[in-house]
Amino acid sequence: MISLATAIPVALAGCDGNSAGEKTDGVTNIGFLAPAPRNDGGFTQYALAGVQAAVDADPTLKLTSIVDNAAESQQQIDGLTSLAAKNKVVVADGAVLNKAVAVVAPKYPDTHFVLIASDLESLANNVSSVTVAVGLNAIVAGAVASNQSKSKKIGMIAGPEVPSSTAWYYGMKQGAAAENAQTQVSQAYTNDYNDVGKAKQAAEAMIANGVDQILSDLDSGSTGIYQAADGKAGTGVYNVFALHCDDNPNIIGSGIVNWSDVLKTAVTEAAAGKLPAGAISFGLKSGALSYQFCPGKGTDAQKALAEKITSQISDGSITPAEGVLLPKPSYAYEQR
């Protein structure tokens, strides 16, 4: 076990075999890899915007390379290898990339890898895993959805079944129970954040079983949920990461996750050698999370409920249930 006090900041000097990752001419090169398209309208797009914001704010930073659509494991390993050879900081944007980072990072000790939305199994001195406690937002969303539901059946649809997605389910389950102990919560995984057809099928199956409130932990795949909800009176949809109120009239609100700010902070600190190796989780206190309603949506009672649940989470009155938070790794960990 390594305490936070002994977490190793990654500010490594160049060594033979990895000179391409050094600062050159006072500029820190940054590479970005994602398994999804860069313009997916969700997680990847917001993360990339955060990296770009860090670069725009500091003339000594340069985003040199973007590799997206790296859906297969070998593509991910090859992409990270290529980026690590010529960048001092490499952002691996996606929970499914933890295995690829574990393979590539030891080969490039002078490159700082910033793994987003997942942790490694063991500490690597040149890897910072950056996560957001999305399950806390899900508690609030679950309470609101339960209050909105007439059938007292709500659901969550995500892409791959990874801890950062199951946290939305467990959080919704806890929040729904806090609002009404009789509320049932379903979950479904399409294994693809952007497959509209699979998302529509999953949503149609839930609606057929009586679910009338659905949270979408998807990117462009959310369109499938909108299509399934259209024409179904009383069916509400909830997003994650950002408000998409104009995309569909059924959208009630969103568990906002400000990935752009998180990525901007992480990249800025990594480039300056101030982002520690180990695991870093952004929570409510960091300002990375909030629940917001779309304009004209949400009753006064629901808005009061959201504020109440948020306050109770913040002051510790509500303790996250099992599965709501990502498991703490057995190495350096920092909660922000």
Side-chain angles (χ1 to χ4, degrees):
M1 177 75 77
I2 299 178
S3 69
L4 180 59
T6 59
I8 304 171
V10 182
L12 305 173
C15 65
D16 292 342
N18 196 34
S19 59
E22 299 176 17
K23 274 191 175 184
T24 57
D25 299 325
V27 174
T28 299
N29 291 336
I30 299 166
F32 179 93
L33 182 139
R38 67 188 73 184
N39 59 347
D40 62 0
F43 177 69
T44 303
Q45 187 167 330
Y46 293 121
L48 187 54
V51 176
Q52 188 62 54
V55 171
D56 291 343
D58 187 344
T60 69
L61 305 185
K62 180 180 180 181
L63 178 58
T64 67
S65 311
I66 300 172
V67 178
D68 62 352
N69 277 317
E72 303 299 328
S73 58
Q74 192 58 52
Q75 291 177 325
Q76 294 161 3
I77 291 172
D78 292 344
L80 288 175
T81 300
S82 175
L83 292 175
K86 58 184 178 182
N87 294 285
K88 183 176 177 63
V89 176
V90 172
V91 177
D93 186 54
V96 297
L97 299 176
N98 56 346
K99 294 182 179 179
V101 170
V103 170
V104 177
K107 301 174 183 178
Y108 294 88
D110 295 344
T111 297
H112 188 171
F113 292 81
V114 184
L115 173 62
I116 305 300
S118 183
D119 295 325
L120 294 182
E121 292 185 358
S122 58
L123 178 70
N125 290 340
N126 62 332
V127 178
S128 301
S129 57
V130 175
T131 61
V132 173
V134 294
L136 301 180
N137 249 356
I139 295 175
V140 184
V144 172
S146 173
N147 184 271
Q148 179 79 14
S149 176
K150 302 299 183 184
S151 65
K152 295 306 173 188
K153 292 182 178 181
I154 67 176
M156 186 278 299
I157 299 175
E161 188 173 357
V162 294
S164 58
S165 289
T166 58
W168 282 104
Y169 165 71
Y170 288 112
M172 285 191 73
K173 190 174 181 180
Q174 182 176 1
E179 195 279 331
N180 188 311
Q182 302 305 312
T183 301
Q184 300 175 30
V185 185
S186 303
Q187 58 181 328
Y189 300 91
T190 67
N191 204 37
D192 191 316
Y193 291 112
N194 299 290
D195 192 310
V196 173
K198 289 181 179 178
K200 183 179 181 181
Q201 289 176 354
E204 288 175 338
M206 281 190 177
I207 293 171
N209 286 324
V211 171
D212 62 0
Q213 307 296 311
I214 301 175
L215 182 138
S216 173
D217 181 20
L218 298 170
D219 294 324
S220 56
S222 295
T223 299
I225 298 178
Y226 305 153
Q227 293 173 355
D230 281 340
K232 306 296 191 300
T235 300
V237 180
Y238 305 78
N239 292 125
V240 301
F241 307 144
L243 285 170
H244 295 284
C245 305
D246 294 335
D247 288 357
N248 188 268
N250 296 302
I251 298 173
I252 306 297
S254 178
I256 301 291
V257 179
N258 198 333
W259 277 114
S260 293
D261 279 359
V262 170
L263 267 290
K264 180 182 179 182
T265 297
V267 168
T268 300
E269 292 185 11
K274 296 180 180 180
L275 191 69
I280 303 162
S281 175
F282 287 75
L284 285 168
K285 292 182 180 179
S286 72
L289 302 174
S290 65
Y291 181 84
Q292 297 181 27
F293 290 93
C294 287
K297 298 295 178 70
T299 64
D300 289 342
Q302 289 168 355
K303 292 175 182 177
L305 175 63
E307 291 180 3
K308 174 186 174 183
I309 298 293
T310 299
S311 177
Q312 290 177 330
I313 295 171
S314 298
D315 67 19
S317 300
I318 291 180
T319 301
E322 184 178 357
V324 173
L325 299 179
L326 296 180
K328 287 186 179 180
S330 59
Y331 50 82
Y333 176 84
E334 177 185 349
Q335 180 66 62
R336 298 191 178 183

